[in-house]
Amino acid sequence: MERLGRFCARHRVLVLVLWILVAGAVVAVVAQVGAKTNDDLTLPGTDSQRAFDLLAENFSPQQNGTSPIVFHSASGKVTSGPNEAAIREAYRSIQPAPHVHETTSPFAELGQAQVSDDERTAYINVLMGVYGSDLTVELAEGVLARAQAAARGTGMQVAAGGPIGGTLSSPETGSSDLIGIVAAMLILSLVFGSLVAMGMPILTALFGLTVALGTIGLLGHLVDVPSVAPTLATMIGLGVGIDYALFMVNRHRMQLTDGIELVESVARTDGRSGTAVVFAGGTVVIALVSLLVGGIPLITRLGFASAIAVVTAILAAITLLPALLAITGRHVFSLRIPAFLRPKDKPEDDRAFSRWAHTIARHPVIAVLGSVALLVPLAVPVFSLRLGQEDIASTPKITTERQAYDMISAAFGPGYNGPLLIATQLGTPAEPSERYRSRKHEALGLQRLLERQQVHGEKVQAKLERQGDALLERKDALEAAGARLDVRKQALEAEAAVLAGERDELERRGAGLQAEIANLEARAIALAQQAAGYLERLAVVAALIDRVEEKLQHVTDPDRRARLERRLAKLQQIASRLEGNLERLEPRAERIAARGVRLFERAERLEAEKDRLESRAAVLERQGAALEAQGELLLEQEAELERDGKAFDRRKAKKTATLKALQREATDEEARAKQLKRELTNELTAAAGDPKATDPRLVRLQHAFEDTPGVEVVSPPFLNSDDDVAITSVVPTHAPSDEATAGLVVRMRGHVIPDAISGTDVQASVGGSTASNVDLADEISAKLPLVILVVIGLSFFVLLLAFHSFAIPVQAAVVNLLCVAAAFGVLTATFQWGWGTALIGIDAPTAQVPVASFVPLMMFTVLFGLSMDYQVFLVSVVQEEHERGLDTREAVIRGLGRAGPVIAAAAAIMISVFGSFILNGDPIVKQFGVGLAVAVFLAGTMMLVLAPALLVLMGRATWWMPRWLAWLPRINFEGKRTAPEAPEAPEPSRIFRP
């Protein structure tokens, strides 16, 4: 390790460039191919896995589960015109969407149960052909967007549940990461008093985390990585990455203060603190990899993913950090924070942790009893811890998954959100039951008899109907002929009335025309008289003009001549006016003449029309006479038809009596046939229309489910093409996460199914997501003791190698188990008891949220590994002081005084990082955040109180090692000592002080 540190310091730029290249390459590859996760829950050997495999083989992709696309109308019914049309359009639109395997409309026969009783909620069942990581956000958004587009403008709320809703409801975690990093930066700044030193752990942790997350994302293309794995890896990677770098930066700064040369200081830091980091990180990795012994793929992959984050944090701490320390040199002391915020330089005995160490050493029994008094009450709730499953009802209300869950729960019942899938394997193919066959044979016989009777009756009835129809046709023909005569008569009368009216109108118009002609003649006479008057006056004026002109020829007197000329001019003007009046009279005369011509023409036309009307009236009179003759003939035909009708009624009465007698004979047979039909219909309905589903084995199993308490609805069984495998859906009364639902699964497996299939060749398994989560909880409960023993055993062995002491591993195991139990108790009280769900942002119908089954197991593993880190950092310093000649009590005092600030700062950073993930919207991530933050707080606190108190109480026994184990090798955390030597023990006042 020392050689590695020296190499990284001398080739600092190369190491930094290599890390940048590796991180950049990982990011680039992830950007190109994508980070892949998969929440497929495989549980080999479990009942739910058998059901899954059977369904995958015979009903693929039914094993993936359906996704309800829910429509809810707050103000109307989904069955109303616009709403129903929108849902039908959504159904038609979703069907051709990519990778949609099957859809069921709520308005189809098979989807009748998909409409709520109040008709305000309905859902379309969508079965996707892809699942897990293959069901991308783009595919899920495509399905939901089609439904939302169809419902736009109707006011209906649309949401998606199931795999589609889950894919679209993944909460973001970026703010949690950022808050944790900011909190860590603040703590580091206060610890180091320098912003440059603060940046070293942050930068190192981020590089390691980037490579880890990219590696996990790429690993998802080879194996199934759960979707929560990157978040869990982020929590652990950030925490350990910053903590490990903190330990190393602290030692490097102390060595620089002691005057050690830069490269040598970096080498010693890697050789001593780096060795401790590798050992401490190795314990975390061992604890995480130990999950493999549980044999649960989900837990194993979560452990491996978290281990990758720890490994990259270790590699970054022992390679990248030395390079960064070498690059910054003595600038690691630069950019110091204000003096009042920096750690104060105090004498050793006056430092807080030194005083605290003396207090613990003086009162170790009180410290132990106080610690137990704190931990035991916190651990009490753990006895009621019930491993549950993920609860959609506790996810944020803004997610489409939660909205669909709430709408279905309110409209149909919570159990519809997690139906159980019963996969039934038949030893021999299903056949219709003997009862069904006999009833069907009897029903067919009765049906044939009734058909023969019906045929005979129909023939007689048909003959009577034909005869009656013939009479009716004759009657109709006569009535039609009479109606036509009436219509024709009415038409003639109407036409005659019209002609009379037209004749009266012609006479009125003729009288008016004569009056108009007389008026026109009067106007013409008056105009002629006026013209004659103008002509007479014009003749007089012309004579006067001639006389005046004649006088002018003989007058020589100018004055008289002038008077004559003036008179001549006036006479000419008068003549002109008279001529103008005559000219104006001429057009009027012409118009009067023209109008007179038109009036005479109209008079001639009126005479012609009058002649035509008289001719038409004569024709109508002749037609009326003909109609009268036809009417008399029709009356004779009607009398004959009435006689034929009476004869037909007598024959019909006789035939009808015969038919009634036959009908009475068939009544019993028909009633029996109807009863058989109803019974057969009921059987087929229960069998989804498939006669083979009436197989007694399937019917017996179905009836057993229907009679089971806690079952809301049982669907008919559906058979595969070979008729040897059936799938049945059972809807529980309670929510999927409810303890009653888990109890139902247990009862069905333990009693209901075994009793129903006893003595048959049938095997039935309970599957579906709810049953899988129940199996996961059972598997974890069964494997938890083994995992705990393995983790404790491996940790015990590692500490045994590290300290060559038997008591120290025992003390570490006791302290860690107490802290784990207390953390589990807090987790149980917070979520399962609901004592703090509202404070951490969970808005569930009830305050109680089940603890996900894999959370406690992962918490135990992570916490045990991290607690061992603190054990290593504390006990290694105590052991170092003891090996320098101090007794155990003094060694604990000196060791706690030196290691206490480091452990406190490291714990504070991890608490900040883990606690920040409480802000994450995913309830499972919140559980990890609360559980790990509380666990680290307790572990860090107990490492400063209970652990040193126990070491003091054990005294010399702390370092006892059985002789038969003395052959075990020992790990040297301080590495190989090289000149120049640093002081044996750094002054406590130099810790976190430049």
Side-chain angles (χ1 to χ4, degrees), residues 430-729:
E431 294 289 344
S433 65
E434 188 60 34
R435 180 182 178 185
Y436 173 83
R437 289 179 177 179
S438 62
R439 288 182 175 182
K440 185 176 180 180
H441 179 74
E442 183 180 358
L444 290 175
L446 288 173
Q447 182 178 357
R448 286 192 292 268
L449 176 61
L450 290 172
E451 286 175 353
R452 288 194 299 269
Q453 293 176 344
Q454 184 177 1
V455 168
H456 175 71
E458 287 176 351
K459 288 181 179 179
V460 174
Q461 188 68 30
K463 183 177 180 180
L464 291 174
E465 287 178 355
R466 286 194 300 271
Q467 293 175 351
D469 290 342
L471 291 174
L472 290 175
E473 288 177 1
R474 288 174 58 191
K475 183 179 179 181
D476 292 341
L478 291 176
E479 290 177 350
R484 288 195 296 272
L485 288 177
D486 290 340
V487 170
R488 183 59 180 162
K489 182 177 180 181
Q490 292 172 1
L492 290 176
E493 291 174 351
E495 189 173 358
V498 171
L499 288 176
E502 289 179 355
R503 182 184 300 169
D504 294 341
E505 177 65 17
L506 285 176
E507 291 178 353
R508 185 186 61 77
R509 288 169 58 189
L513 187 61
Q514 292 299 325
E516 190 175 355
I517 291 173
N519 182 45
L520 188 63
E521 288 176 348
R523 288 174 60 191
I525 293 171
L527 187 62
Q529 291 174 353
Q530 188 177 4
Y534 286 152
L535 289 174
E536 289 177 1
R537 290 176 63 189
L538 184 60
V540 173
V541 172
L544 290 174
I545 290 173
D546 291 341
R547 285 198 298 272
V548 172
E549 288 178 347
E550 183 178 356
K551 288 179 181 183
L552 281 174
Q553 293 177 1
H554 303 286
V555 175
T556 59
D557 183 32
D559 293 335
R560 187 179 179 187
R561 187 176 180 87
R563 286 193 298 273
L564 289 174
E565 288 177 350
R566 286 193 296 273
R567 185 178 180 187
L568 179 63
K570 286 184 179 181
L571 290 173
Q572 289 176 345
Q573 289 177 355
I574 293 171
S576 297
R577 284 197 299 273
L578 292 174
E579 289 176 354
N581 290 337
L582 286 173
E583 290 177 356
R584 285 191 294 274
L585 289 176
E586 185 177 355
R588 292 174 61 188
E590 291 177 355
R591 288 195 297 273
I592 290 173
R595 183 167 180 76
V597 172
R598 289 196 298 274
L599 289 175
F600 281 113
E601 290 176 352
R602 287 174 59 190
E604 291 177 356
R605 287 198 298 272
L606 288 175
E607 286 296 329
E609 182 67 16
K610 184 177 180 182
D611 294 341
R612 184 186 65 79
L613 290 176
E614 291 177 351
S615 174
R616 180 59 181 165
V619 172
L620 291 178
E621 187 175 357
R622 291 193 297 272
Q623 290 179 348
L627 287 177
E628 289 293 334
Q630 292 179 6
E632 293 177 358
L633 178 60
L634 285 177
L635 289 175
E636 294 178 359
Q637 292 177 350
E638 287 178 357
E640 182 181 357
L641 179 62
E642 185 176 358
R643 292 191 297 272
D644 293 344
K646 290 179 179 179
F648 172 74
D649 288 340
R650 290 192 294 272
R651 292 195 305 273
K652 182 178 180 181
K654 185 176 179 180
K655 296 290 186 181
T656 302
T658 303
L659 290 177
K660 287 182 178 180
L662 293 175
Q663 184 66 35
R664 285 192 298 271
E665 293 177 1
T667 299
D668 294 339
E669 288 83 354
E670 185 176 3
R672 176 58 181 162
K674 288 181 178 180
Q675 177 64 27
L676 288 174
K677 183 178 180 181
R678 283 193 296 269
E679 293 175 357
L680 289 172
T681 300
N682 292 336
E683 284 194 56
L684 283 178
T685 300
D690 186 356
K692 294 182 179 179
T694 63
D695 189 296
R697 297 169 295 179
L698 295 177
V699 172
R700 182 179 176 183
L701 197 58
Q702 187 176 5
H703 289 169
F705 295 148
E706 293 171 344
D707 296 337
T708 302
V711 171
E712 182 76 17
V713 176
V714 180
S715 74
F718 290 91
L719 289 161
N720 64 344
S721 57
D722 294 332
D723 299 325
D724 59 351
V725 177
I727 177 175
T728 305
S729 177

Side-chain angles (χ1 to χ4, degrees), residues 152-311:
R152 190 172 294 120
T154 63
M156 287 191 296
Q157 183 182 0
V158 183
I164 291 178
T167 301
L168 297 175
S169 302
S170 299
E172 297 292 335
T173 62
S175 60
S176 301
D177 304 346
L178 181 60
I179 292 173
I181 292 173
V182 170
M185 293 172 65
L186 178 61
I187 296 171
L188 290 172
S189 299
L190 295 175
V191 168
F192 289 133
S194 165
L195 297 183
V196 174
M198 173 273 294
M200 297 293 101
I202 298 296
L203 192 60
T204 303
L206 289 179
F207 262 96
L209 184 61
T210 299
V211 174
L213 292 179
T215 303
I216 293 171
L218 296 176
L219 188 64
H221 292 273
L222 302 177
V223 297
D224 293 336
V225 176
S227 60
V228 75
T231 303
L232 185 59
T234 300
M235 297 171 65
I236 298 173
L238 273 179
V240 300
I242 295 174
D243 275 6
Y244 294 163
L246 161 66
F247 299 138
M248 296 181 66
V249 172
N250 176 61
R251 175 175 286 276
H252 174 66
R253 282 164 55 86
M254 289 191 302
Q255 291 174 166
L256 288 181
T257 303
D258 292 335
I260 299 177
E261 185 268 334
L262 175 64
V263 173
E264 185 62 25
S265 175
V266 172
R268 291 189 184 185
T269 298
D270 224 25
R272 299 177 183 182
S273 293
T275 302
V277 163
V278 171
F279 181 82
T283 61
V284 179
V285 173
I286 289 172
L288 290 170
V289 175
S290 298
L291 293 170
L292 178 64
V293 302
I296 305 173
L298 171 68
I299 304 301
T300 301
R301 291 159 188 163
L302 283 175
F304 283 173
S306 302
I308 290 173
V310 177
V311 170

Side-chain angles (χ1 to χ4, degrees), residues 296-444:
I296 305 173
L298 171 68
I299 304 301
T300 301
R301 291 159 188 163
L302 283 175
F304 283 173
S306 302
I308 290 173
V310 177
V311 170
T312 56
I314 296 172
L315 292 176
I318 63 177
T319 57
L320 176 60
L321 182 59
L324 293 175
L325 294 175
I327 290 173
T328 56
R330 297 197 64 83
H331 292 294
V332 73
F333 300 112
S334 301
L335 297 178
R336 303 176 70 185
I337 63 176
F340 73 91
L341 292 175
R342 294 198 296 269
K344 300 298 186 293
D345 186 8
K346 296 180 180 180
E348 177 182 355
D349 292 338
D350 196 31
R351 293 182 61 82
F353 278 95
S354 293
R355 293 198 303 272
W356 175 253
H358 281 89
T359 301
I360 294 296
R362 285 195 302 269
H363 309 288
V365 176
I366 295 177
V368 171
L369 293 177
S371 299
V372 173
L374 171 66
L375 295 176
V376 170
L378 292 178
V380 169
V382 77
F383 293 103
S384 63
L385 173 63
R386 178 181 64 85
L387 300 183
Q389 57 181 301
E390 182 179 2
D391 188 8
I392 305 301
S394 60
T395 56
K397 286 187 175 181
I398 61 172
T399 62
T400 188
E401 180 181 36
R402 171 66 185 277
Q403 293 167 3
Y405 181 96
D406 289 344
M407 286 189 287
I408 288 180
S409 296
F412 300 93
Y416 278 81
N417 287 293
L420 306 175
L421 298 179
I422 313 300
T424 306
Q425 175 77 60
L426 303 174
T428 56
E431 294 289 344
S433 65
E434 188 60 34
R435 180 182 178 185
Y436 173 83
R437 289 179 177 179
S438 62
R439 288 182 175 182
K440 185 176 180 180
H441 179 74
E442 183 180 358
L444 290 175

Side-chain angles (χ1 to χ4, degrees), residues 38-57:
N38 193 337
D39 286 326
D40 287 351
L41 182 58
T42 55
L43 297 168
T46 62
D47 193 54
S48 60
Q49 188 64 44
R50 286 190 292 272
F52 181 92
D53 295 339
L54 195 60
L55 295 179
E57 181 180 354

